[in-house]
Amino acid sequence: MPTHTRIRMFNTKETYPNQALDNDLCQAVRAGNTVYVRGQVGTDFEGNLVGLGDPRAQAEQAMKNVKQLLEEAGSDLSHIVKTTTYIIDPRYREPIYLEVGKWLKGVFPISTGLVVSALAQPQWLMEIDVIAVIPDDWNAKEPV
């Protein structure tokens, strides 16, 4: 029995064509009843940036990605226990946190926010990663 399930595996050659990278990664990992979601940005799963210059729109796309990945892992947004949000400008905090807050209303996760000098691509204004659980009595589908 495998100890974990990798969700949406990819290689960084395709994700970052402007950089000389060749790393095998995945968007999420389900390990037992815990789901770890890689940092999500304002790019959809086809690689299209949503919201150029718009921190709220990028946060909305990132949360759409988080929701999709959690569902693929057999969980959902209500089971998020921790978020870490990275922003490149403290002035973006309010629009980003207001958007993320809409998605996590009533969830009450612990949260860490960091202002960083840059993210992996210059057009990215924010990134959020999450950890979620799958309760023993949860009836969601198994990972895809």
Side-chain angles (χ1 to χ4, degrees):
M1 177 93 174
T3 60
H4 57 279
T5 303
R6 299 179 193 284
I7 297 163
R8 290 190 181 251
M9 293 179 282
F10 66 97
N11 184 283
T12 54
K13 283 188 290 192
E14 293 88 33
T15 307
Y16 304 102
N18 60 329
Q19 299 173 11
L21 300 174
D22 185 11
N23 300 315
D24 293 328
L25 302 173
C26 63
Q27 293 288 349
V29 172
R30 177 178 173 173
N33 280 9
T34 304
V35 180
Y36 302 91
V37 176
R38 177 180 189 267
Q40 296 298 305
V41 296
T43 303
D44 65 22
F45 292 128
E46 287 73 48
N48 303 304
L49 177 67
V50 175
L52 179 64
D54 183 344
R56 190 218 51 83
Q58 289 192 20
E60 179 182 36
Q61 181 61 49
M63 291 306 296
K64 286 179 183 178
N65 295 349
V66 167
K67 180 180 186 296
Q68 177 69 33
L69 291 166
L70 288 175
E71 289 172 356
E72 290 178 21
S75 187
D76 72 16
L77 293 171
S78 72
H79 298 302
I80 291 175
V81 296
K82 181 172 186 351
T83 68
T84 304
T85 305
Y86 306 86
I87 61 175
I88 63 162
D89 187 320
R91 294 172 292 185
Y92 297 157
R93 185 176 188 273
E94 190 170 342
I96 289 169
Y97 277 65
L98 285 171
E99 183 62 36
V100 171
K102 290 179 194 175
W103 291 80
L104 300 181
K105 190 72 175 167
V107 176
F108 301 98
I110 59 174
S111 176
T112 299
L114 302 164
V115 178
V116 297
S117 61
L119 295 168
Q121 295 288 358
Q123 66 272 23
W124 295 346
L125 307 178
M126 62 79 60
E127 183 170 330
I128 185 168
D129 65 63
V130 306
I131 300 171
V133 297
I134 304 169
D136 291 334
D137 62 350
W138 180 241
N139 291 320
K141 65 180 181 173
E142 286 297 309
V144 289

